[in-house]
């Protein structure tokens, strides 16, 4: 009997291998950026962590540090977005500029970068959202297939979000 060999996804392997680098979390975040750009696509890519106690999000990675520098913090207001992404751990897809306008106070800056759609993918551990991968691109770029494709990448970010830098 012949066995059919399965091959691991090379982009996932690259991200997994980056976890072994001593230069953490930078090596992992850069590998996630490149892999997700290739697998799904994005113009803007950020990684946020969430603090349940303060209700704040902190930006720990950005591929565009000029308009979106790391270290930026913002208080998150309760609403449909926080209930979905933070409380229930569901991905959020905003398909148009109008979708982004209703959720993000910085929608004008987002639009100025040529972005009109978003995929916010939560990173979960033990039933809690610790952070999110945030991919932004032109209008109508993201769909449900992208949520499934992004999930393993999001979970590969987990060690960096669990380990203080």
């Amino acid at each position: 009997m012949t066995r059919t060999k399965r091959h691991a996804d090379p982009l996932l392997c690259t991200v997994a291998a980056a976890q072994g680098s001593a230069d953490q979390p930078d090596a992992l975040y850069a590998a996630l950026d490149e892999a997700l750009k290739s697998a799904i696509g994005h113009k803007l890519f950020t990684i946020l962590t969430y603090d349940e106690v303060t209700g704040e999000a902190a930006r720990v990675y950005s591929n565009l540090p000029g308009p979106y520098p790391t270290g930026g913090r913002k208080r998150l207001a309760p609403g449909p977005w926080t209930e979905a992404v933070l409380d229930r751990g569901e991905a959020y897809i905003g398909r148009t500029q109008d979708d982004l306008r209703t959720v993000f106070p910085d929608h004008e800056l987002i639009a100025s970068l040529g972005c009109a759609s978003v995929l916010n993918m939560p990173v979960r551990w033990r039933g809690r959202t610790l952070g999110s991968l945030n991919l932004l691109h032109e209008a109508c770029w993201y769909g449900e297939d992208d949520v499934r494709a992004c999930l393993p990448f999001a979970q590969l970010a987990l060690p960096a979000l669990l380990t203080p830098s």
Side-chain angles (χ1 to χ4, degrees), residues 47-48 50 85 89 121-125 128-133 151 153-159 161:
I47 301 174
L48 298 177
Y50 299 109
V85 177
M121 188 72 207
V123 179
R124 305 272 292 172
W125 179 246
R128 294 180 31 239
T129 299
L130 302 182
S132 66
L133 305 186
L151 177 62
F153 292 103
Q155 290 309 119
L156 283 170
L158 185 59
L161 300 182

Side-chain angles (χ1 to χ4, degrees), residues 95-148:
R95 291 178 169 81
T96 66
Q97 189 62 42
D98 286 338
D99 293 341
L100 274 58
R101 189 177 297 112
T102 63
V103 175
F104 302 117
D106 57 344
H107 61 88
E108 290 178 356
L109 177 56
I110 292 170
S112 76
L113 299 172
C115 298
S117 67
V118 65
L119 169 58
N120 300 120
M121 188 72 207
V123 179
R124 305 272 292 172
W125 179 246
R126 294 184 172 176
R128 294 180 31 239
T129 299
L130 302 182
S132 66
L133 305 186
N134 311 293
L135 294 78
L136 294 97
H137 213 304
E138 63 195 45
C140 300
W141 188 267
Y142 301 109
E144 293 304 320
D145 287 349
D146 297 313
V147 172
R148 286 185 292 283

